[in-house]
Amino acid sequence: MDDKETERAEVSLEPPKIQRLEESVVNRIAAGEVIQRPVSAVKELVENSLDANSTSINVVVKDGGLKLIQVSDDGHGIRYEDLAILCERHTTSKLSKYEDLQSIKSMGFRGEALASMTYVGHVTVTTITKGQLHGYRVSYRDGLMEQEPKPCAAVKGTQIMVENLFYNMIARKKTLQNSSDDYTKIVDLLSRLAIHHINVGFSCRKHGAARADVHSVTTSSRLDSIRTVYGVSVARSLMNIEASDNDPSTSVFKMDGFISDSNYVAKKATMVLFINDRLVECSALKRAIEIVYTATLPKASKPFIYMSIVLPSEHVDVNVHPTKREVSLLNQEIIVEKIQSAVELKLRQSNESVTYQEQTVASSPSSSLGTSKELQPKLLSPGSQSQKVPVHKMVRTDSSDPAGRLHAYLQTKPHKHLAENSSLTAVRSSVRQRRNPNETADLTSIQELIDDIDCNCHSGLQEIVRQCTYIGMADDVFALLQHKTHLYLANVVNLSKELMYQQVLQRFAHFNAIQLSDPAPLPELIVLALKEEDLDPESSENDDLKEKIAEVDWEEEKSCFQSIAAALGNFYALHPPLMPNPSGEGLVNYKKRKAFTNTENEGEPSNSTGDDVEMEDEIDHELVSEAEAAWAQREWSIQHVLFPAMRLFLKPPTSMATNGTFVQVATLEKLYKIFERC
């Protein structure tokens, strides 16, 4: 190594020097956090207008907000004396000391939004206050006025223009070139605000456009506002919902809003959430509600939700996110659970009140299911457009229509036991499952097993599971599924076994536990269980084998946990009931022999030889009824519990593609070719 290399090595070992950043650099970095994209600026400006007690707010946007954002309101305006410091950082009229945050009711409070806009764009403010003969206009750059405010003509309120947003942040501007995407976000923001603030009129349009994309007027009915903004098809599918709690030891809150019913079908969920009049997001609450919908209304599992939650100000921390998109709640877990229960109850009640007209197969060849008005879908998803589909790719089954399932072609008698208990037990046990823990057990072996599941997941089968339509049970083990134009047989025993196996691993160490005073003698208990299955419990013929089965290799942690998870998965799998299926030829299993006396020779002397006693078969109707209820309960659980859970959680292993778990039985394109040749 020469002297120069030695010198460079010595220099590289020295720690880097800490420098104080220039204020302009600090402000620009901070501005990039607060104003992340054009919709962030619109949100801050509109919230300022709401804080100014405006009754009309108009937004004009050019090139998705990069060229121009103009927000005009009819609020109380800005005083002339305040214009000099209006866009300096941390200047605000909303609070004066930190303790004010505990009771803050205004949307803004940091005094950063306008300042941030001046560091990444050119800001012009025009304002007039009550009693003034004229208004004032002033431009800002880097937090300061570019010149003294100039008198000008103005209408009541304030107009703020932000031009050339991110002109000095080249990388940020390049990532925001899709102006239509940003304008869509702005329209979505204004739509959400409009249905909550029904005492304020909102409008949003592109620069130069004559027609507004959002236009709402003040109204006394929130449902009318939703109808105006989101359309009639959404409004008529909504149900009112309320929940509250006033127990200081658990939670104090009040919630009211609207949720969609089974008639609402959309490609993605829409959740509009306001907490103390703030538009925020709550992933825990959204996830909890989606789980309820998936389990209760699997064909309407992408709901429209509007909720307004009111809590004491001191129970909400609003200062947890740079853009105020999220808030922190006291007793959030309890509040989420209570709201989830209220949604579950409302959906269950609405689901039980829905009636469907089933159609039996007609004997006349001229009858046609396609002409039945009852079987045509009543609603299209909001914003859906009719597209011409090639006839050989048309999918006949409508996932929102019960006629698309096998039950529409069968006459069935209702099971009283199922009607009374299934919705109260099976659904409740499904939807009351707690949300998946954010973290699995802190065990390397468990994490390795979960990683094995992820690595071994078959992406094609996963898409089928998540997007399939359940048609019905083909036999005791296989269910019929439709995915796009393909028809599959799926082994529900294998699927449920694998699902439960994966859930055991995902929720490991998060199950409820019972603390025993003395450790349970597991090997002895397992041997007793194995002996219980013997026809001859007293026999000791296979005792050695049973003891070998009962032994667990506690030293090998990974294989031990894998075996336990597999055993639990098999235990909770949806195996066929022990009682034979009473449908079809299976009814023969429920016949019993009954003796009766031949009465044809009645009146003649009896020989008492017993020759007149004959035997006949009689159906045990009580046993048949019990079996029918058990099998109906299983199929109900498969459709309403297993498949919704599979869509959410199952990661099918690659082995399922070859071991007969999934079998493709028909393809619409090939069937069409066959019928074409006929």
Side-chain angles (χ1 to χ4, degrees):
M1 182 182 293
D2 57 22
D3 294 341
K4 289 184 178 180
E5 291 178 343
T6 304
E7 184 178 350
R8 283 197 298 268
E10 290 176 354
V11 171
S12 64
L13 293 176
E14 293 183 3
K17 184 179 179 181
I18 299 176
Q19 306 177 57
R20 179 179 285 106
L21 293 175
E22 295 182 7
E23 187 175 355
S24 60
V25 177
V26 174
N27 290 331
R28 192 178 297 180
I29 292 174
E33 292 179 352
V34 177
I35 309 301
Q36 298 174 354
R37 56 190 313 136
V39 69
S40 307
V42 174
K43 181 174 183 289
E44 296 288 352
L45 293 175
V46 171
E47 287 181 346
N48 281 346
S49 296
L50 291 171
D51 286 340
N53 298 323
S54 304
T55 60
S56 176
I57 301 175
N58 304 306
V59 179
V60 178
V61 177
K62 184 176 182 180
D63 286 353
L66 293 177
K67 286 288 182 67
L68 171 69
I69 296 173
Q70 178 180 294
V71 177
S72 308
D73 65 54
D74 62 350
H76 52 52
I78 303 169
R79 297 192 308 168
Y80 174 80
E81 308 88 74
D82 295 335
L83 290 174
I85 63 170
L86 174 67
C87 292
E88 290 184 11
R89 290 192 68 196
H90 308 307
T91 57
T92 179
S93 62
K94 314 299 173 55
L95 76 167
S96 57
K97 56 183 183 298
Y98 181 78
E99 287 72 20
D100 292 342
L101 277 175
Q102 304 298 321
S103 58
I104 196 80
K105 288 184 171 59
S106 60
M107 301 295 105
F109 52 85
R110 293 196 189 112
E112 286 186 317
L114 281 175
S116 297
M117 293 178 208
T118 66
Y119 285 103
V120 294
H122 301 135
V123 177
T124 303
V125 178
T126 304
T127 185
I128 185 173
T129 57
K130 185 177 180 180
Q132 285 187 327
L133 298 177
H134 58 78
Y136 291 92
R137 180 178 293 121
V138 60
S139 298
Y140 295 87
R141 186 166 185 172
D142 294 338
L144 302 175
M145 291 192 303
E146 292 187 309
Q147 70 280 321
E148 288 296 315
K150 295 181 179 180
C152 65
V155 296
K156 179 188 177 184
T158 302
Q159 180 189 88
I160 298 180
M161 287 195 304
V162 183
E163 299 173 285
N164 301 319
L165 193 62
F166 303 126
Y167 74 96
N168 54 358
M169 300 177 71
I170 307 302
R172 177 75 61 87
K173 194 169 184 177
K174 285 182 178 179
T175 63
L176 300 172
Q177 290 302 315
N178 190 351
S179 60
S180 61
D181 182 48
D182 279 285
Y183 183 69
T184 301
K185 293 180 184 295
I186 293 171
V187 168
D188 179 62
L189 169 70
L190 269 295
S191 299
R192 292 167 182 260
L193 291 170
I195 66 172
H196 180 73
H197 298 280
I198 58 177
N199 58 337
V200 180
F202 289 85
S203 74
C204 178
R205 61 180 176 87
K206 291 182 179 179
H207 182 263
R211 183 178 178 182
D213 294 292
V214 177
H215 180 71
S216 70
V217 295
T218 58
T219 177
S220 59
S221 169
R222 180 156 286 115
L223 195 59
D224 287 344
S225 181
I226 294 175
R227 185 179 295 107
T228 301
V229 175
Y230 286 96
V232 176
S233 61
V234 175
R236 67 185 176 192
S237 302
L238 299 182
M239 307 177 290
N240 182 256
I241 187 168
E242 296 179 352
S244 62
D245 190 12
N246 196 28
D247 185 356
S249 63
T250 56
S251 61
V252 178
F253 76 97
K254 183 179 181 181
M255 181 277 291
D256 68 89
F258 292 93
I259 61 175
S260 57
D261 58 20
S262 59
N263 293 320
Y264 180 82
V265 180
K267 293 182 179 179
K268 65 176 184 178
T270 300
M271 182 165 186
V272 183
L273 175 63
F274 284 82
I275 297 180
N276 285 6
D277 290 330
R278 294 178 183 278
L279 178 61
V280 296
E281 296 176 3
C282 181
S283 57
L285 179 58
K286 184 178 181 181
R287 176 69 171 167
I289 293 175
E290 286 181 343
I291 287 176
V292 174
Y293 267 89
T294 302
T296 312
L297 299 178
K299 300 309 178 186
S301 58
K302 304 296 182 183
F304 181 95
I305 307 291
Y306 163 78
M307 284 186 181
S308 175
I309 303 176
V310 179
L311 305 95
S313 300
E314 60 271 18
H315 291 186
V316 185
D317 186 355
V318 297
N319 192 28
V320 297
H321 195 275
T323 63
K324 303 186 287 290
R325 187 176 64 187
E326 299 174 0
V327 295
S328 179
L329 308 181
L330 183 67
N331 300 320
Q332 176 173 303
E333 195 71 23
I334 298 174
I335 294 173
V336 168
E337 184 176 352
K338 289 183 180 295
I339 294 176
Q340 183 188 38
S341 299
V343 172
E344 176 193 351
L345 178 62
K346 189 72 174 182
L347 291 181
R348 196 156 14 91
Q349 290 173 344
S350 69
N351 206 20
E352 289 172 356
S353 65
V354 174
T355 57
Y356 298 104
Q357 294 183 358
E358 294 190 348
Q359 179 171 338
T360 57
V361 179
S363 57
S364 171
S366 62
S367 63
S368 172
L369 288 178
T371 60
S372 174
K373 294 182 179 179
E374 290 82 1
L375 299 184
Q376 295 176 2
K378 296 180 180 179
L379 289 176
L380 293 175
S381 59
S384 63
Q385 298 178 354
S386 59
Q387 297 179 352
K388 190 172 181 180
V389 181
V391 68
H392 66 283
K393 286 187 175 291
M394 286 184 177
V395 180
R396 182 174 182 181
T397 297
D398 178 6
S399 63
S400 66
D401 191 345
R405 306 191 191 111
L406 293 181
H407 302 79
Y409 306 97
L410 302 174
Q411 285 186 322
T412 58
K413 58 182 180 180
H415 296 282
K416 183 179 179 181
H417 171 75
L418 187 64
E420 290 179 352
N421 296 327
S422 294
S423 60
L424 296 176
T425 55
V427 172
R428 184 176 290 274
S429 65
S430 171
V431 300
R432 281 206 176 278
Q433 58 181 307
R434 294 294 182 263
R435 295 171 296 282
N436 270 339
N438 293 328
E439 299 180 357
T440 54
D442 189 18
L443 295 169
T444 304
S445 56
I446 292 295
Q447 192 56 55
E448 288 177 356
L449 290 171
I450 293 174
D451 292 341
D452 292 343
I453 292 173
D454 293 336
C455 294
N456 198 32
C457 178
H458 193 291
S459 58
L461 292 181
Q462 189 171 26
E463 182 187 358
I464 291 174
V465 168
R466 290 187 174 179
Q467 304 296 331
C468 70
T469 299
Y470 174 84
I471 299 176
M473 293 300 294
D475 61 14
D476 296 350
V477 174
F478 285 92
L480 273 173
L481 314 177
Q482 181 172 322
H483 178 254
K484 296 183 178 178
T485 58
H486 304 295
L487 193 64
Y488 296 90
L489 284 173
N491 188 315
V492 295
V493 176
N494 290 353
L495 288 171
S496 58
K497 189 184 301 183
E498 180 64 26
L499 173 66
M500 296 310 300
Y501 166 75
Q502 294 181 12
Q503 285 296 288
V504 169
L505 295 177
Q506 290 285 354
R507 297 164 180 268
F508 205 92
H510 292 278
F511 294 105
N512 292 332
I514 300 175
Q515 188 69 36
L516 301 178
S517 56
D518 296 318
L522 291 179
E524 295 177 21
L525 293 175
I526 295 174
V527 170
L528 286 174
L530 292 170
K531 284 186 175 182
E532 194 69 25
E533 295 181 354
D534 283 347
L535 296 177
D536 183 9
E538 301 299 327
S539 172
S540 59
E541 181 179 352
N542 297 320
D543 282 355
D544 293 338
L545 176 61
K546 293 168 186 170
E547 290 179 4
K548 186 176 181 181
I549 294 174
E551 286 299 320
V552 176
D553 183 6
W554 298 103
E555 300 300 323
E556 183 59 39
E557 184 179 88
K558 183 176 178 180
S559 62
C560 171
F561 289 159
Q562 187 176 28
S563 301
I564 292 173
L568 288 172
N570 184 62
F571 179 79
Y572 285 105
L574 288 173
H575 296 283
L578 295 177
M579 304 175 74
N581 194 335
S583 62
E585 297 179 357
L587 192 62
V588 71
N589 296 295
Y590 296 91
K591 290 182 178 180
K592 59 183 180 180
R593 307 288 289 176
K594 182 178 180 181
F596 74 100
T597 303
N598 190 341
T599 58
E600 291 182 359
N601 300 323
E602 188 175 356
E604 297 182 5
S606 175
N607 296 326
S608 301
T609 59
D611 293 339
D612 294 334
V613 177
E614 298 183 6
M615 305 294 291
E616 69 172 3
D617 291 334
E618 184 183 57
I619 301 296
D620 189 337
H621 294 287
E622 184 177 350
L623 202 57
V624 168
S625 178
E626 184 179 346
E628 286 177 342
W631 281 88
Q633 172 69 71
R634 176 178 182 257
E635 181 172 356
W636 192 95
S637 299
I638 289 171
Q639 178 181 347
H640 296 288
V641 178
L642 174 62
F643 275 88
M646 283 167 46
R647 293 187 184 100
L648 288 173
F649 306 120
L650 181 64
K651 297 179 180 179
T654 54
S655 59
M656 285 189 172
T658 56
N659 67 0
T661 300
F662 285 90
V663 180
Q664 182 177 314
V665 293
T667 305
L668 188 59
E669 294 90 339
K670 294 182 179 179
L671 287 175
Y672 185 78
K673 291 178 182 178
I674 293 173
F675 288 121
E676 242 182 358
R677 289 197 294 269
C678 297

